[in-house]
Amino acid sequence: MSMPPPIVDFQRASKRYGEGPLIIDDLTLTASPGDFISLIGPSGCGKSTVLKLISGLSILTTGTLKVNGLAPEQAARELAYVFQEPTLLPWLTVGKNIELLMQLDHSAPAERTKIRQRVLSLVRLDGLAGRYPRQLSGGQKMRVSIARALSRSPRILLLDEPFGALDEMTRDHLNEELLAIRQQEAWTAFFVTHSVTEAVFLSNRIVIMAAGPGRIHEEISVNFPYPRTAETRHSPAFQELVARVSRVLRSVEEVLP
Amino acid sequence: MSSWRRLLPVLTGLVFVGIWYAVHFSLSTEERYLLPRPDAILQAFSDEGAVLGSATLNTALGALCGFAAAIVVSVACALLLSLSPLIRASLYPFLMMLQMTPIIVLAPILILWSGPGFLSVTIITFLICFFPLVVNTTQGLISTDRNLVDLFTMARATRRQEILLLRLPSALPYFFTGLRIAATLAPIGAIVGDLYAGNSAGGRGGLGFQTIIYSAQFKMPALFATAFAGCALGFVFVGAVIALQWRLLHRWHDSYSRTDS
Ligand SMILES: Nc1ncnc2c1ncn2[C@@H]1O[C@H](COP(=O)(O)OP(=O)(O)O)[C@@H](O)[C@H]1O
Ligand SMILES: [Mg+2]
């Protein structure tokens, strides 16, 4: 039986900024292609830092990290980031915003148009290409932001609390849509969230982190088969798992100074 | 309602003209020259039309050149200043000095350096317009949304791409704040410059120069006409800036109401 090579591979990784305190301590975490990994834990425990390390924006202090078999700086082309804020350029239309990353990469205009249309329809915003961000709702802006990330055809998608600022209804819808998109696109996801329900619904692995210094407290796997739908949330097994993850999370947060 | 509103300034204008006449006629006959009647000022416009017209054009030209030069130089300086807090710390005090120095006192010096005439007028306008432009544009360039800068960093954008596609467009609203101030100052700068540096050689005198001539000649109605010409010039400058600002910002910027989009 042969395992596929890991797409993200942290071995005994630690991180401190300058002379500051240890932010990440002895992190060993391996993601296989197609994993949907949620990172959950008290704020300040280093969840965003983990994403920054994968993206190569931040460099490990000790240990090793391979992304798609390469040093993270060399794998930048393989990944895309979705932030908590939609981070759209307000002076560009939705269409131009989606083309931004391709424009920065100097890809050909015809190619850009093709990809723009494809990702716009993935996030079900066809027809809104000519709008400006201020004309969109919060959920629509987030969809544009996701479409922009997808325009790079990433192998790894890093999402840092992307739905944290949205109301619960919108969040649920976007969760379902994100999974629907994933049925068509085989990226690996690292998803930072504060919502246990969201983590259980989306992921096949939930990594619960503890703070001071940031480390993995426990990993819980989620075995509900994909595709998951709104119905999945109502099953007793789902509720049970949510309760279990919440309990672990609470125990981690209680040890905070 | 809204057409009513538009009539209001006309109404206040008429009342104002009425008061003007009343004050004029309340003065003794010897004093009446101090406040010429509005129709006398209109008459002066037609009598002095050619002279005032060319003076206004000359001032407009000086104001425009100084204004344009200030835009180009201040944007370049703002780009430099936005590069690092160290550069700002070392240069800001001198920018402040430039702002605090009364340009009127500098005028005679400038004239000695560059001679009376168009060039001096342009330089004085430039000096007056430069400060609000450079300060506001720099502020705009350094207050780019942190999240957007992260996005560009994440996408491995080049420095050039970051400036052209992110920093400059996001500084636009700030630039226009400076531009509106500069637009009100430009005609004033050109007129002040012309008061000192204007000369009539080849019909190049502007409104400032005409002011000196008319006051020497005690032509009160013509002086008032000159003031109105300067005022009109100011409206043209500010109006052009407001129109351009609307053109470039109204679709996306929050300062324009959501309902118009
Ligand atoms: N650039 C940085 N320089 C110094 N400290 C940082 C930097 N970025 C984050 N930190 C620190 O690292 C810790 C973890 O931050 P972060 O990864 O953002 O946590 P989380 O996303 O889990 O809330 C925090 O204590 C934060 O203050
Ligand atoms: Mg964070």
Side-chain angles (χ1 to χ4, degrees), chain A residues 47-49 160-161 192:
Chain A
K47 305 179 294 291
S48 300
T49 303
D160 197 345
E161 300 186 43
V192 173

Side-chain angles (χ1 to χ4, degrees), chain B residues 76-97 131 134-144 146 159 167:
Chain B
C77 284
L79 279 171
L80 176 73
L81 287 165
S82 71
L83 289 181
S84 102
L86 287 181
I87 300 180
R88 286 196 289 286
S90 26
L91 294 182
Y92 251 73
F94 300 100
L95 282 177
M96 291 300 291
M97 273 177 66
F131 185 79
V134 77
V135 168
N136 283 287
T137 310
T138 307
Q139 191 56 42
L141 288 171
I142 62 177
S143 5
T144 314
R146 200 51 245 169
R159 186 81 195 155
R167 295 209 181 257

Side-chain angles (χ1 to χ4, degrees), chain B:
Chain B
M1 173 72 192
S2 97
S3 64
W4 239 109
R5 282 246 184 110
R6 229 163 284 156
L7 277 179
L8 281 178
V10 177
L11 226 65
T12 22
L14 287 176
V15 171
F16 184 71
V17 169
I19 294 174
W20 187 315
Y21 273 108
V23 174
H24 173 84
F25 285 111
S26 72
L27 295 170
S28 65
T29 336
E30 309 84 82
E31 286 173 336
R32 279 185 190 163
Y33 80 97
L34 289 173
L35 186 69
R37 296 190 322 265
D39 57 295
I41 295 168
L42 281 179
Q43 185 61 42
F45 264 116
S46 97
D47 292 347
E48 302 286 331
V51 177
L52 266 179
S54 96
T56 307
L57 269 184
N58 288 337
T59 295
L61 199 63
L64 195 63
C65 289
F67 186 60
I71 292 173
V72 173
V73 178
S74 67
V75 170
C77 284
L79 279 171
L80 176 73
L81 287 165
S82 71
L83 289 181
S84 102
L86 287 181
I87 300 180
R88 286 196 289 286
S90 26
L91 294 182
Y92 251 73
F94 300 100
L95 282 177
M96 291 300 291
M97 273 177 66
L98 176 62
Q99 170 68 358
M100 296 306 160
T101 310
I103 304 292
I104 293 186
V105 181
L106 282 185
I109 304 173
L110 285 169
I111 292 158
L112 286 177
W113 287 352
S114 53
F118 183 74
L119 184 60
S120 291
V121 172
T122 302
I123 293 176
I124 290 167
T125 310
F126 168 86
L127 288 175
I128 284 189
C129 293
F130 179 71
F131 185 79
L133 278 168
V134 77
V135 168
N136 283 287
T137 310
T138 307
Q139 191 56 42
L141 288 171
I142 62 177
S143 5
T144 314
D145 184 344
R146 200 51 245 169
N147 292 321
L148 296 180
V149 177
D150 282 348
L151 172 75
F152 272 62
T153 315
M154 210 75 78
R156 274 36 176 205
T158 62
R159 186 81 195 155
R160 196 185 132 85
Q161 286 176 325
E162 185 184 314
I163 287 171
L164 288 179
L165 298 174
L166 178 59
R167 295 209 181 257
L168 282 175
S170 76
L172 216 51
Y174 293 80
F175 169 74
F176 271 108
T177 304
L179 201 61
R180 270 166 97 144
I181 301 171
T184 57
L185 294 176
I188 297 174
I191 291 168
V192 168
D194 197 52
L195 269 176
Y196 287 85
N199 72 22
S200 57
R204 299 298 295 273
L207 291 174
F209 185 75
Q210 266 332 111
T211 307
I212 296 173
I213 305 286
Y214 289 145
S215 59
Q217 297 172 336
F218 273 103
K219 284 190 174 170
M220 286 303 272
L223 275 174
F224 274 90
T226 309
F228 279 116
C231 167
L233 193 57
F235 267 109
V236 170
F237 266 76
V238 174
V241 168
I242 289 176
L244 183 66
Q245 183 176 24
W246 185 85
R247 181 96 190 70
L248 294 181
L249 301 187
H250 81 279
R251 281 197 206 85
W252 63 272
H253 198 252
D254 283 335
S255 60
Y256 296 91
S257 75
R258 272 149 207 276
T259 48
D260 70 0
S261 50

Side-chain angles (χ1 to χ4, degrees), chain A residues 17 23 42-49 52:
Chain A
Y17 289 99
I23 304 291
S43 60
C45 72
K47 305 179 294 291
S48 300
T49 303
K52 279 188 202 143

